[in-house]
Amino acid sequence: MNTTTDTLPQRLLLGSGPSPVPEQVLAALALPTLGHLDPAFGEVMDEVGDLLRAAFVTENRVAFPISGTGSAGMEAMVANLVEPGERVVCGVHGLFGERMADELARHGAEVVRVEAEWGRAIDPQALIDAVQADAAPAALFVVHGETSTGVAQPLDGLADAIHDRGGLLLIDCVTSLTGHPLRLDEAGVDAAFSGSQKCLNAPPGLAPLTVGPRALEKLAARRTRVPSWYFDLNLILAYVDGEGGRTYHHTAPTNMIVALREALRIAVQDEWLATRWERHRRAHEALRDAFEVLGMPRLAPADEALHPLLAVRVPDGIDEAAVRRTLLLEHDIEISGGLGPLAGKIWRIGVMGVGAQREPQEALITAVAAELGQGADDALAALQAGYAA
Ligand SMILES: *Cc1c(COP(=O)(O)O)cnc(C)c1O
């Protein structure tokens, strides 16, 4: 029997996700598989809950990973907290806001879109105005970190506005969790989802979700059944909550959850959350300075930049897709291209977890400069100055 596994290339993952997975997390993934009802695994689930509360900065009782990628977190949130016929104000300033609007409409919600051009944040006042123009919106949704454009959405005033109308504040923090300042309880967020493969540096496949007391009340008061069996929180919580023992719902992806625990320990225990946020900010700005020297300025204005994702404009005359392909196949470095209206116009570079450090960024800058036929020295000096600052 052939016991060797296939070999795969080792890439430096500096795109929009997945991000680099540390050896420690890969080693946790490879630990012996446990059953989902094993008490030893129950302890892992409990610890993951505690670590997620620390990452989200919340006291919500409900904090656990949905089995599925980030989009499964989005779908679970909508399936549980929005009912057919309800109106939801949805911020759209990139691909993921667009995806949420689609998700909401598929669940029968009436979507009230508040838009901004791709590459800019939405004016919070425009969101507040839309909420206040409605007698009883069920929810206000925004993408906190728009990965398609590298923009961070301010949440100022949103919670008060939607709570005054009796609705919920829902957010997507797939890319921002542990990489950009975000305190859920302080911001008044009622439910949020994330993904394992962005700043958390775990492999793709889990969507951390947290649901606060207001949202749980809404769930309990539903007029209609949750339309998804797989994502029905009423059923899942009988397993996750653990009070009175765990009841089987679906087989938890145990190895992935053990890996996520390790990734969360690194993020919120080995490194203090505020230190981690500051490290991402510094790494983002150093890399922005270096790309500016290469003639590729940042898309987002300074006060709207999302630290874990740097989007830079690609100058006319460069076949950006060809350069990205060469970076991947000849330098083993992955970065991402633009989406939607920004396709062919920008590059999206992940500054996520262990990717938010000088060494991987030096490798990227060196490779990009070589492919563009430029010297790398000035850009590398700018990068280093950013770290020295
Ligand atoms: C990556 C991402 C998602 C979707 O996550 P998948 O893991 O690809 O399903 C949703 N929202 C944002 C902001 C993301 O960056």
Side-chain angles (χ1 to χ4, degrees), residues 66-155:
I66 289 277
S67 308
T69 65
S71 305
M74 181 184 278
E75 189 142 335
M77 190 163 83
V78 173
N80 283 277
L81 301 180
V82 176
E83 289 196 79
E86 289 184 340
R87 278 182 313 283
V88 177
V89 177
C90 181
V92 179
H93 62 313
L95 180 88
F96 292 104
E98 207 52 84
R99 181 174 297 182
M100 184 61 167
D102 186 2
E103 185 77 60
L104 286 163
R106 283 168 190 251
H107 281 84
E110 208 180 296
V111 183
V112 180
R113 295 165 65 104
V114 178
E115 302 186 27
E117 100 183 69
W118 287 42
R120 295 300 309 272
I122 304 167
D123 178 1
Q125 193 55 50
L127 291 160
I128 292 168
D129 289 346
V131 165
Q132 290 176 343
D134 199 315
L140 166 59
F141 171 84
V142 290
V143 180
H144 179 244
E146 214 355 306
T147 321
S148 61
T149 60
V151 166
Q153 174 61 42
L155 305 177

Side-chain angles (χ1 to χ4, degrees), residues 147-387:
T147 321
S148 61
T149 60
V151 166
Q153 174 61 42
L155 305 177
D156 310 291
L158 301 188
D160 285 349
I162 188 69
H163 292 159
D164 277 353
R165 284 285 189 275
L168 302 173
L169 179 58
L170 309 177
I171 69 162
D172 170 339
C173 57
V174 172
T175 288
S176 48
L177 189 66
T178 80
H180 196 97
L182 174 64
R183 294 181 172 86
L184 281 202
D185 287 359
E186 212 173 283
V189 175
D190 296 299
F193 63 91
S194 188
S196 51
Q197 80 277 23
K198 310 277 170 102
C199 285
L200 295 178
N201 291 160
L206 290 175
L209 174 75
T210 185
V211 181
R214 239 188 237 96
L216 288 176
E217 267 174 44
K218 166 79 190 277
L219 177 64
R222 281 182 72 103
R223 293 170 286 105
T224 57
R225 276 215 305 184
V226 174
S228 161
W229 179 87
Y230 194 71
F231 292 131
D232 187 341
L233 275 182
N234 298 297
L235 306 178
I236 296 176
L237 290 182
Y239 174 73
V240 170
D241 244 9
E243 278 168 33
R246 289 173 198 276
T247 310
Y248 166 70
H249 174 252
H250 67 272
T251 308
T254 50
N255 287 63
M256 270 301 298
I257 293 172
V258 171
L260 178 65
R261 175 178 69 168
E262 194 60 33
L264 283 164
R265 283 173 171 171
I266 294 171
V268 301
Q269 280 181 346
D270 298 358
E271 187 172 19
W272 188 45
L273 191 57
T275 313
R276 189 173 174 90
W277 289 338
E278 173 59 16
R279 176 167 66 79
H280 281 77
R281 183 197 63 74
R282 176 181 290 235
H284 173 105
E285 285 176 6
L287 191 63
R288 178 218 45 198
D289 291 348
F291 268 100
E292 216 161 71
V293 171
L294 294 176
M296 303 172 89
R298 180 171 62 193
L299 178 69
D303 57 347
E304 296 177 2
L306 174 67
H307 303 155
L309 196 287
L310 174 69
V312 295
R313 295 178 193 275
V314 181
D316 289 341
I318 292 177
D319 182 351
E320 66 83 21
V323 177
R324 273 191 294 121
R325 197 171 330 111
T326 307
L327 288 175
L328 182 68
L329 300 181
E330 286 172 28
H331 299 267
D332 286 312
I333 300 176
E334 178 172 285
I335 61 170
S336 303
L339 300 167
L342 295 171
K345 296 181 177 160
I346 62 167
W347 280 349
R348 294 178 304 134
I349 297 140
V351 184
M352 301 180 182
V354 291
Q357 296 189 81
R358 196 170 121 177
E359 295 73 14
Q361 294 182 336
E362 279 176 352
L364 173 64
I365 289 298
T366 304
V368 168
E371 292 309 321
L372 296 181
Q374 300 186 25
D377 290 356
D378 291 350
L380 287 172
L383 185 79
Q384 280 155 19
Y387 277 96

